[in-house]
Protein backbone atom coordinates (compact mmCIF):
# COMPACT_ATOMS: atom_id res chain seq x y z
CA UNK A 1 0.00 0.00 0.00
CA UNK A 2 1.39 3.36 -1.11
CA UNK A 3 0.14 6.92 -0.80
CA UNK A 4 -0.71 6.94 -4.51
CA UNK A 5 -3.06 3.99 -3.97
CA UNK A 6 -5.36 5.96 -1.64
CA UNK A 7 -8.51 7.13 -3.41
CA UNK A 8 -9.59 10.66 -2.46
CA UNK A 9 -13.15 11.47 -3.56
CA UNK A 10 -13.47 14.38 -5.98
CA UNK A 11 -17.01 15.62 -5.35
CA UNK A 12 -18.39 19.07 -4.65
CA UNK A 13 -19.16 18.09 -1.04
CA UNK A 14 -15.64 16.72 -0.53
CA UNK A 15 -14.03 19.85 -1.92
CA UNK A 16 -16.29 22.06 0.19
CA UNK A 17 -15.51 20.08 3.36
CA UNK A 18 -11.79 20.56 2.77
CA UNK A 19 -12.40 24.26 2.21
CA UNK A 20 -14.29 24.51 5.52
CA UNK A 21 -11.58 22.63 7.41
CA UNK A 22 -8.89 24.82 5.84
CA UNK A 23 -10.75 27.99 6.82
CA UNK A 24 -11.36 27.07 10.47
CA UNK A 25 -8.73 24.57 11.61
CA UNK A 26 -5.19 25.34 12.71
CA UNK A 27 -2.53 23.93 10.36
CA UNK A 28 -1.92 21.02 12.75
CA UNK A 29 -5.63 20.23 13.10
CA UNK A 30 -6.14 20.48 9.34
CA UNK A 31 -3.32 18.04 8.65
CA UNK A 32 -4.76 15.73 11.32
CA UNK A 33 -8.15 15.79 9.58
CA UNK A 34 -6.56 14.96 6.23
CA UNK A 35 -4.46 12.18 7.75
CA UNK A 36 -7.56 10.80 9.49
CA UNK A 37 -9.08 10.15 6.07
CA UNK A 38 -5.85 8.84 4.57
CA UNK A 39 -5.24 6.32 7.38
CA UNK A 40 -8.90 5.25 7.26
CA UNK A 41 -9.04 4.79 3.49
CA UNK A 42 -5.71 2.96 3.43
CA UNK A 43 -6.79 0.61 6.22
CA UNK A 44 -10.06 -0.09 4.41
CA UNK A 45 -8.22 -0.91 1.19
CA UNK A 46 -5.77 -3.22 2.98
CA UNK A 47 -8.56 -5.03 4.84
CA UNK A 48 -11.24 -5.20 2.13
CA UNK A 49 -13.66 -2.93 3.98
CA UNK A 50 -16.26 -1.33 1.71
CA UNK A 51 -17.10 2.25 2.63
CA UNK A 52 -18.65 5.42 1.29
CA UNK A 53 -15.61 7.54 0.38
CA UNK A 54 -17.43 10.87 0.21
CA UNK A 55 -19.16 10.32 3.55
CA UNK A 56 -15.91 9.32 5.23
CA UNK A 57 -13.96 12.19 3.67
CA UNK A 58 -16.51 14.83 4.69
CA UNK A 59 -16.74 13.37 8.19
CA UNK A 60 -12.95 13.33 8.48
CA UNK A 61 -12.63 16.97 7.44
CA UNK A 62 -15.35 18.11 9.87
CA UNK A 63 -14.86 15.73 12.81
CA UNK A 64 -12.90 18.11 15.06
CA UNK A 65 -14.62 21.40 14.22
CA UNK A 66 -16.23 21.28 17.66
CA UNK A 67 -12.75 22.00 19.07
CA UNK A 68 -12.32 25.32 17.26
CA UNK A 69 -13.59 28.49 18.91
CA UNK A 70 -16.13 29.30 16.21
CA UNK A 71 -17.98 26.01 16.72
CA UNK A 72 -17.13 25.15 20.33
CA UNK A 73 -20.20 24.48 22.46
CA UNK A 74 -20.38 25.04 26.19
CA UNK A 75 -23.33 22.65 26.48
CA UNK A 76 -22.41 19.54 24.47
CA UNK A 77 -19.19 17.56 23.92
CA UNK A 78 -17.06 18.63 20.97
CA UNK A 79 -17.85 15.51 18.95
CA UNK A 80 -21.59 16.21 19.25
CA UNK A 81 -21.03 19.84 18.26
CA UNK A 82 -19.06 18.61 15.25
CA UNK A 83 -21.87 16.24 14.39
CA UNK A 84 -24.31 19.15 14.33
CA UNK A 85 -21.97 21.09 12.04
CA UNK A 86 -21.86 18.09 9.71
CA UNK A 87 -25.67 17.89 9.65
CA UNK A 88 -25.90 21.56 8.67
CA UNK A 89 -23.11 21.12 6.11
CA UNK A 90 -24.96 18.17 4.61
CA UNK A 91 -28.15 20.19 4.31
CA UNK A 92 -26.26 22.92 2.43
CA UNK A 93 -24.72 20.24 0.21
CA UNK A 94 -28.19 18.98 -0.69
CA UNK A 95 -27.79 15.67 1.10
CA UNK A 96 -30.96 13.86 2.17
CA UNK A 97 -31.67 13.82 5.90
CA UNK A 98 -30.50 10.21 6.25
CA UNK A 99 -27.06 11.06 4.87
CA UNK A 100 -26.76 14.12 7.13
CA UNK A 101 -27.58 11.90 10.11
CA UNK A 102 -24.94 9.39 9.01
CA UNK A 103 -22.24 12.09 8.88
CA UNK A 104 -23.23 13.21 12.36
CA UNK A 105 -23.12 9.62 13.65
CA UNK A 106 -19.69 8.97 12.17
CA UNK A 107 -18.31 12.08 13.86
CA UNK A 108 -19.87 11.33 17.26
CA UNK A 109 -18.69 7.72 17.14
CA UNK A 110 -15.07 8.58 16.38
CA UNK A 111 -14.69 9.13 20.14
CA UNK A 112 -16.01 5.66 21.04
CA UNK A 113 -13.68 2.87 22.14
CA UNK A 114 -14.83 0.68 19.28
CA UNK A 115 -17.34 0.91 16.43
CA UNK A 116 -18.72 -2.24 14.79
CA UNK A 117 -17.47 -2.30 11.21
CA UNK A 118 -20.50 -4.32 10.09
CA UNK A 119 -22.93 -1.71 11.41
CA UNK A 120 -20.97 1.45 10.61
CA UNK A 121 -17.87 1.03 8.42
CA UNK A 122 -17.23 4.78 8.18
CA UNK A 123 -17.52 5.22 11.96
CA UNK A 124 -15.25 2.24 12.50
CA UNK A 125 -12.64 3.60 10.12
CA UNK A 126 -12.67 7.14 11.56
CA UNK A 127 -12.42 5.85 15.14
CA UNK A 128 -9.49 3.66 14.15
CA UNK A 129 -7.68 6.33 12.14
CA UNK A 130 -8.05 9.10 14.73
CA UNK A 131 -6.84 6.76 17.49
CA UNK A 132 -3.73 6.06 15.42
CA UNK A 133 -3.13 9.69 14.57
CA UNK A 134 -3.70 11.20 18.02
CA UNK A 135 -2.41 8.56 20.43
CA UNK A 136 -0.50 6.15 18.20
CA UNK A 137 -2.73 3.11 18.52
CA UNK A 138 -1.86 0.15 16.23
CA UNK A 139 0.75 1.73 13.93
CA UNK A 140 1.84 -1.77 12.96
CA UNK A 141 -1.38 -2.05 10.90
CA UNK A 142 0.16 0.38 8.40
CA UNK A 143 3.31 -0.23 6.34
CA UNK A 144 6.28 1.88 7.45
CA UNK A 145 6.66 3.29 3.94
CA UNK A 146 3.05 4.46 3.86
CA UNK A 147 3.37 6.06 7.29
CA UNK A 148 6.46 7.94 6.12
CA UNK A 149 4.77 9.14 2.93
CA UNK A 150 1.66 10.38 4.71
CA UNK A 151 3.66 12.18 7.40
CA UNK A 152 5.96 13.78 4.83
CA UNK A 153 3.03 15.15 2.83
CA UNK A 154 0.94 16.13 5.87
CA UNK A 155 3.34 16.75 8.79
CA UNK A 156 2.17 16.71 12.39
CA UNK A 157 3.17 20.32 13.23
CA UNK A 158 2.93 19.85 17.00
CA UNK A 159 -0.50 18.19 16.92
CA UNK A 160 0.06 16.33 20.19
CA UNK A 161 0.53 19.41 22.35
CA UNK A 162 -2.35 21.21 20.66
CA UNK A 163 -4.67 18.24 21.11
CA UNK A 164 -3.81 17.72 24.77
CA UNK A 165 -4.50 21.42 25.43
CA UNK A 166 -7.86 21.18 23.63
CA UNK A 167 -8.89 18.08 25.55
CA UNK A 168 -7.88 19.57 28.89
CA UNK A 169 -9.97 22.63 28.09
CA UNK A 170 -12.93 20.44 27.13
CA UNK A 171 -12.52 18.37 30.29
CA UNK A 172 -12.46 21.42 32.54
CA UNK A 173 -15.61 22.92 31.04
CA UNK A 174 -17.43 19.63 30.33
CA UNK A 175 -16.44 17.17 33.09
CA UNK A 176 -18.97 14.56 31.94
CA UNK A 177 -17.66 14.45 28.36
CA UNK A 178 -15.63 11.67 26.77
CA UNK A 179 -12.77 14.14 26.40
CA UNK A 180 -12.77 14.45 30.21
CA UNK A 181 -12.76 10.67 30.55
CA UNK A 182 -9.77 10.55 28.21
CA UNK A 183 -7.90 13.19 30.21
CA UNK A 184 -8.52 11.35 33.49
CA UNK A 185 -7.29 8.06 31.98
CA UNK A 186 -3.82 9.19 30.90
CA UNK A 187 -4.54 10.79 27.53
CA UNK A 188 -1.59 13.19 27.70
CA UNK A 189 0.87 10.36 28.34
CA UNK A 190 -0.49 8.30 25.44
CA UNK A 191 -0.26 11.26 23.09
CA UNK A 192 3.28 12.05 24.21
CA UNK A 193 4.30 8.44 23.50
CA UNK A 194 2.78 8.41 19.98
CA UNK A 195 5.31 6.64 17.71
CA UNK A 196 4.21 8.82 14.79
CA UNK A 197 6.04 11.68 16.49
CA UNK A 198 9.34 9.77 16.60
Amino acid sequence: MRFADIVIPDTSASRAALEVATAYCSPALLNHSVRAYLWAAAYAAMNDISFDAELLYVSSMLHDLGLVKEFDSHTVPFEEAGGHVAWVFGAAAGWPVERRVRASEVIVRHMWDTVDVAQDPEGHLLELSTALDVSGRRPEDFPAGLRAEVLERHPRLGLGEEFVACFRDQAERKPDSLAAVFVRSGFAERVKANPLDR
Side-chain angles (χ1 to χ4, degrees):
M1 185 77 195
R2 304 284 305 193
F3 185 92
D5 300 324
I6 301 172
V7 177
I8 298 174
D10 184 21
T11 67
S12 59
S14 299
R15 292 189 297 272
L18 177 60
E19 183 178 355
V20 169
T22 302
Y24 287 99
C25 292
S26 69
L29 200 58
L30 173 63
N31 278 6
H32 161 66
S33 300
V34 173
R35 287 192 309 271
Y37 174 80
L38 296 173
W39 301 134
Y43 183 87
M46 292 184 293
N47 292 275
D48 296 319
I49 298 172
S50 297
F51 68 98
D52 182 322
E54 181 187 63
L55 177 63
L56 179 60
Y57 188 87
V58 168
S59 300
S60 298
M61 293 308 106
L62 306 181
H63 81 277
D64 278 339
L65 281 186
L67 291 174
V68 306
K69 65 182 184 345
E70 291 87 352
F71 301 107
D72 181 28
S73 169
H74 287 269
T75 59
V76 299
F78 84 92
E79 67 273 19
E80 291 182 23
H84 290 297
V85 172
W87 196 99
V88 173
F89 175 92
W95 287 4
V97 172
E98 296 78 12
R99 190 166 180 76
R100 297 176 224 163
V101 170
R102 283 290 300 121
S104 182
E105 288 173 344
V106 170
I107 289 173
V108 169
R109 292 173 182 172
H110 93 274
M111 284 288 288
W112 291 10
D113 284 336
T114 59
V115 180
D116 187 341
V117 65
Q119 294 184 354
D120 182 358
E122 295 80 19
H124 172 79
L125 292 167
L126 189 59
E127 181 277 323
L128 183 147
S129 69
T130 55
L132 165 68
D133 203 63
V134 174
S135 56
R137 192 172 73 189
R138 295 170 54 180
E140 67 278 2
D141 289 348
F142 300 82
L146 175 63
R147 294 197 310 264
E149 280 189 282
V150 169
L151 293 171
E152 181 180 357
R153 291 169 185 257
H154 303 282
R156 295 184 63 75
L157 306 177
L159 176 72
E161 291 178 6
E162 183 175 330
F163 230 88
V164 168
C166 285
F167 268 45
R168 284 177 173 158
D169 174 64
Q170 292 284 315
E172 182 178 335
R173 293 186 289 114
K174 307 169 197 178
D176 295 328
S177 67
L178 283 174
V181 172
F182 279 35
V183 168
R184 290 193 295 267
S185 65
F187 178 70
E189 291 73 20
R190 292 193 300 276
V191 172
K192 187 176 181 180
N194 188 340
L196 296 183
D197 284 322
R198 301 293 176 267

